[in-house]
Amino acid sequence: MAGDLSVSLRAWPTVKTEDQSLSFLIARINGQKGSFRNVTEQSLEQDVRSFEAGEVHDSDNERFLEEKPEVTKSRKDEVLAGRNEILKQIGQAQNDSGQALDFISLLLSRHIPKQAEATISPYLKQHLPVGTLGVEIMQSPPKSESRRTDNELISTGWKLQSLSATANSLLASATRLGAEMEQEAKHWEEVLLVQKKGWSICRLPRERHNLGVRYGFAEAAAEYRDRGLAALRRNDDGSLFLDLGLQAPVSRRLRVTVKQRSRTIASSLIGMDVENEDQSVEDSIRRARNAIYDEELYHEMYREARSLTNRGIQCMTEGITIPLEDERSLTVDLANPSIERNGVADGASPYFTDRYLARAFSLACKLLLSHAHRQNYNLRTRQPPPLTERKPPRPVYSILRPLLALLQQQSAVNDHSSFLHSVSAILERADLTMMVEPPKGVLGVLGMMDLKTSTDEPLMETLAAATCSPLQAQSKITMPSASSSLMVYIRTHVQGTEYKIVIDTPPNSSLGQLPQETSFTSAAEVENHVLHLLTLDLVSLISTENKRWQILSLHEGQLSTDTSVDGRLEILSISLEKSKLLVSCYATNKDGDVVRSSVSWIPGTEDHLALRDVVRTIGAEVVS
């Protein structure tokens, strides 16, 4: 019965692929060489040399190595095959564990038969009696003193080696832990420094174990608000760097260039700092914020410019073009500051006003976008309107419209100041005094505004609101007679420029019969009206100071002499233009012929005659 006992002591079976099994390798060798006895060292060397020379043509080997036809199995067959394999492994494990339990129980049945019989299988009880398997402790052979000493030395050496390896491992771990602590301390120190600078630190939505910084603007458009978040990664030395992900590695900034006849003469990016590799993480965050802000600004300006084509603005792929005076234009686009520094230096404008205009226009655009964000915030914090099915459209920001009004206002002020200076120079040549208080420019108008606000509203927001409101400038003209004055108001809004002239004169004067307030829509009408009022004042001044001349036609600027004295008629005509003052006298001589004499005053001429002297003597010269 002892021969019928089968005890399995096999190791846990390993799963091998078909190509690595022994049967496959033996079949492969038999297919290539026929049998193992045909495989010799000389034949293998010959095969290696033939393979290196490219002369291998073994038909049997090629036939054996042909690809086996792939057998496609369905998902159901694969599941059933896997189930059968699992059941097979479970059955084998159960058999092995049962045989091991029978072996241990039969071994213990000699000493504790009652306890052992409870765990012996029924099959083993039928074929083997209890207590037939035993075990004895055998005495190990005695060891010599030298062997014992060697064993102790070997044991001591192994212990020392293990202790030395453990100490080295602990020292290496301590060194690595110290370096990791320094890197971690440096990492969190820079994180706290970024937070102290006012940047918002948060967890990344899809990487909860990493920190990020939010540098975007909460009131920006959705496509730019979501891009305002970047991860803060750690370098090998523990320092921080900003991971912008899929965004462009080179930031583009808003560029405003002044062109004259298609030649760039000024740019707003000249003098701007260029990115470098040694910049701090705070500089990287600031540059990323400025870049995304400029991208949103250009996008909103392009949206607005498409509705302003009737005012001469062109929207092209290269950028937004705004026409100016003197064949100049403003071009707004996005560019790399480093490329701009190298590309515009040759054509730079020698005038400070062009560079100032480009930089001021760029800063004003950024200020107005910030004002639009503030308006979005105020609208979002108010009580929401009733819910409707239609989603309200995103409004178009007013960025270009206020700036166009500023440029138009500045142009109108410059033209009016130039006109007043020219007329004042003409009258000064005629020894007449016209006191002029020229209108202030855009910066002067903004500076005179009341910018005192409460502590809740920033000063820049108040300045932006003042920029969006209609601008007004005024000039005061004191007439040569010093008894009357004019106030010229220049008001510019989004729709255009309006002019208004207010006359301050005594009721009994010649100007008192005219309307006190007159409105105009063009600068030419204002200039003609001011010249007309000055002509009326000159006619009134001549008739007042020289009793010889009497007003013949006030609005036509004509005076005449008294015909009752000598029976001759003399007519004096006053004509004031933007470029000259002309005084003409028409009189009859002794023969009865009409003789014309005229005197003109033009700025830049060398002669200097007083109008009063000319009026007093011009009639006598004609008669003689």
Side-chain angles (χ1 to χ4, degrees):
M1 294 180 64
D4 296 335
L5 180 61
S6 176
V7 180
S8 175
L9 298 178
R10 292 182 302 171
W12 186 264
T14 58
V15 180
K16 298 182 180 180
T17 62
E18 184 181 358
D19 295 343
Q20 295 178 353
S21 62
L22 182 59
S23 59
F24 177 79
L25 296 177
I26 294 174
R28 183 175 179 180
I29 294 174
N30 291 333
Q32 292 178 358
K33 301 298 181 180
S35 178
F36 277 96
R37 65 182 63 183
N38 297 330
V39 180
T40 61
E41 184 177 357
Q42 292 78 11
S43 64
L44 293 177
E45 291 179 355
Q46 182 65 29
D47 292 342
V48 171
R49 288 192 295 268
S50 301
F51 179 77
E52 293 177 352
E55 299 176 355
V56 178
H57 299 285
D58 193 350
S59 60
D60 296 336
N61 188 19
E62 293 177 358
R63 183 179 66 254
F64 184 82
L65 294 179
E66 290 180 353
E67 295 183 357
K68 298 181 180 180
E70 296 183 358
V71 179
T72 59
K73 297 182 179 180
S74 62
R75 181 62 178 170
K76 181 177 180 181
D77 297 337
E78 293 179 358
V79 172
L80 291 177
R83 176 178 178 277
N84 295 333
E85 183 67 22
I86 293 174
L87 293 177
K88 180 180 178 181
Q89 298 292 341
I90 293 174
Q92 185 176 358
Q94 186 178 5
N95 183 33
D96 294 342
S97 60
Q99 291 181 1
L101 181 60
D102 288 343
F103 174 75
I104 299 299
S105 300
L106 185 60
L107 182 62
L108 295 177
S109 63
R110 186 174 181 179
H111 304 283
I112 46 175
K114 292 184 179 181
Q115 291 84 346
E117 288 180 359
T119 56
I120 296 177
S121 62
Y123 178 80
L124 190 59
K125 290 181 180 180
Q126 295 177 3
H127 294 79
L128 286 178
V130 178
T132 56
L133 185 62
V135 62
E136 293 182 359
I137 300 176
M138 298 181 61
Q139 185 68 27
S140 60
K143 297 180 180 179
S144 60
E145 187 65 25
S146 60
R147 182 64 179 273
R148 188 180 297 105
T149 304
D150 294 340
N151 292 339
E152 292 178 356
L153 292 176
I154 293 173
S155 176
T156 304
W158 278 107
K159 291 180 180 179
L160 292 176
Q161 185 177 359
S162 300
L163 291 175
S164 178
T166 304
N168 294 334
S169 177
L170 291 176
L171 290 176
S173 300
T175 304
R176 181 179 58 82
L177 184 59
E180 185 68 23
M181 290 177 60
E182 294 179 358
Q183 296 174 4
E184 195 72 14
K186 183 178 181 181
H187 168 75
W188 288 108
E189 182 180 357
E190 294 190 3
V191 170
L192 292 177
L193 183 61
V194 170
Q195 188 179 17
K196 289 180 180 179
K197 294 295 183 179
W199 300 103
S200 176
I201 304 297
C202 61
R203 293 183 181 271
L204 296 178
R206 299 183 179 179
E207 301 179 15
R208 303 298 296 176
H209 58 284
N210 288 333
L211 293 178
V213 57
R214 189 175 297 278
Y215 56 85
F217 299 86
E219 306 304 329
E223 58 269 23
Y224 296 99
R225 182 181 64 249
D226 298 339
R227 289 173 50 193
L229 178 64
L232 292 176
R233 308 290 185 185
R234 193 182 77 170
N235 289 318
D236 296 336
D237 58 349
S239 60
L240 283 180
F241 74 94
L242 188 67
D243 186 7
L244 296 177
L246 298 179
Q247 299 185 28
V250 180
S251 60
R252 298 189 301 169
R253 302 298 303 277
L254 185 72
R255 178 179 62 178
V256 179
T257 56
V258 181
K259 294 185 178 181
Q260 187 173 22
R261 301 184 185 93
S262 302
R263 185 176 66 92
T264 301
I265 59 177
S267 174
S268 62
L269 294 184
I270 297 297
M272 184 174 294
D273 296 337
V274 184
E275 299 182 7
N276 51 54
E277 298 180 356
D278 299 334
Q279 62 183 359
S280 62
V281 63
E282 184 183 359
D283 295 336
S284 300
I285 297 173
R286 187 181 297 108
R287 293 184 187 278
R289 179 203 61 185
N290 296 338
I292 195 173
Y293 188 81
D294 287 356
E295 289 183 13
E296 182 190 4
L297 174 60
Y298 180 73
H299 175 72
E300 297 296 339
M301 292 176 66
Y302 203 92
R303 290 182 59 207
E304 184 184 9
R306 286 183 296 183
S307 61
L308 298 176
T309 54
N310 57 343
R311 304 187 66 174
I313 297 179
Q314 299 178 1
C315 300
M316 299 178 293
T317 308
E318 295 79 7
I320 305 171
T321 303
I322 304 173
L324 299 177
E325 299 176 346
D326 301 332
E327 298 182 359
R328 297 184 305 164
S329 62
L330 281 176
T331 302
V332 183
D333 59 355
L334 294 175
N336 186 4
S338 59
I339 299 177
E340 179 69 13
R341 169 174 292 186
N342 299 328
V344 188
D346 297 337
S349 174
Y351 302 102
F352 173 75
T353 54
D354 294 329
R355 297 193 296 270
Y356 164 77
L357 176 61
R359 182 64 64 86
F361 193 89
S362 175
L363 294 178
C365 292
K366 298 176 181 179
L367 177 62
L368 291 176
L369 180 60
S370 176
H371 178 63
H373 286 175
R374 173 68 65 174
Q375 289 180 338
N376 290 343
Y377 173 76
N378 295 335
L379 183 62
R380 183 170 57 87
T381 53
R382 294 175 185 172
Q383 184 177 0
L387 297 178
T388 59
E389 296 181 357
R390 297 181 58 185
K391 183 179 180 181
R394 188 161 64 94
V396 178
Y397 297 155
S398 295
I399 299 176
L400 290 177
R401 289 183 178 86
L403 296 182
L404 291 178
L406 284 175
L407 294 176
Q408 189 173 356
Q409 172 76 2
Q410 186 65 36
S411 177
V413 168
N414 293 339
D415 294 343
H416 188 67
S417 299
S418 177
F419 164 74
L420 294 180
H421 177 73
S422 177
V423 175
S424 177
I426 293 174
L427 296 179
E428 185 177 357
R429 298 294 301 174
D431 200 13
L432 297 174
T433 303
M434 184 183 71
M435 302 298 297
V436 176
E437 295 181 7
K440 297 182 180 295
V442 174
L443 294 180
V445 173
L446 294 178
M448 294 178 60
M449 292 183 177
D450 187 10
L451 298 180
K452 296 181 181 180
T453 59
S454 61
T455 56
D456 298 336
E457 188 173 0
L459 178 61
M460 298 305 295
E461 294 299 326
T462 306
L463 181 60
T467 305
C468 296
S469 61
L471 298 175
Q472 181 172 312
Q474 62 183 16
S475 63
K476 183 177 182 181
I477 305 173
T478 302
M479 295 294 186
S481 62
S483 61
S484 303
S485 62
L486 303 178
M487 294 295 296
V488 181
Y489 297 94
I490 305 174
R491 179 182 175 88
T492 303
H493 45 80
V494 177
Q495 286 76 18
T497 303
E498 297 178 353
Y499 301 87
K500 184 174 68 172
I501 297 179
V502 179
I503 303 175
D504 183 11
T505 182
N508 56 354
S509 65
S510 58
L511 300 181
Q513 302 175 0
L514 300 177
Q516 299 300 312
E517 293 185 5
T518 310
S519 300
F520 303 93
T521 58
S522 65
E525 296 177 353
V526 174
E527 294 176 0
N528 293 332
H529 191 68
V530 171
L531 292 175
H532 180 67
L533 294 178
L534 288 174
T535 302
L536 298 183
D537 186 76
L538 291 177
V539 171
S540 177
L541 177 64
I542 293 174
S543 63
T544 302
E545 294 181 354
N546 195 335
K547 301 300 182 180
R548 176 188 171 194
W549 298 101
Q550 298 177 1
I551 299 176
L552 177 62
S553 177
L554 179 63
H555 293 282
E556 293 181 1
Q558 295 180 355
L559 298 95
S560 63
T561 58
D562 189 5
T563 58
S564 61
V565 178
D566 52 4
R568 290 182 289 107
L569 178 63
E570 298 178 5
I571 298 177
L572 186 67
S573 176
I574 308 295
S575 176
L576 179 60
E577 299 178 2
K578 185 178 180 181
S579 58
K580 66 179 180 179
L581 172 62
L582 179 63
V583 177
S584 302
C585 181
Y586 301 89
T588 57
N589 56 12
K590 298 178 180 180
D591 300 333
D593 298 330
V594 178
V595 180
R596 177 180 180 272
S597 177
S598 62
V599 179
S600 62
W601 288 267
I602 301 175
T605 57
E606 297 180 358
D607 55 343
H608 184 72
L609 299 176
L611 177 64
R612 295 179 175 86
D613 297 338
V614 170
V615 170
R616 185 170 55 254
T617 60
I618 190 171
E621 294 177 357
V622 171
V623 174
S624 62

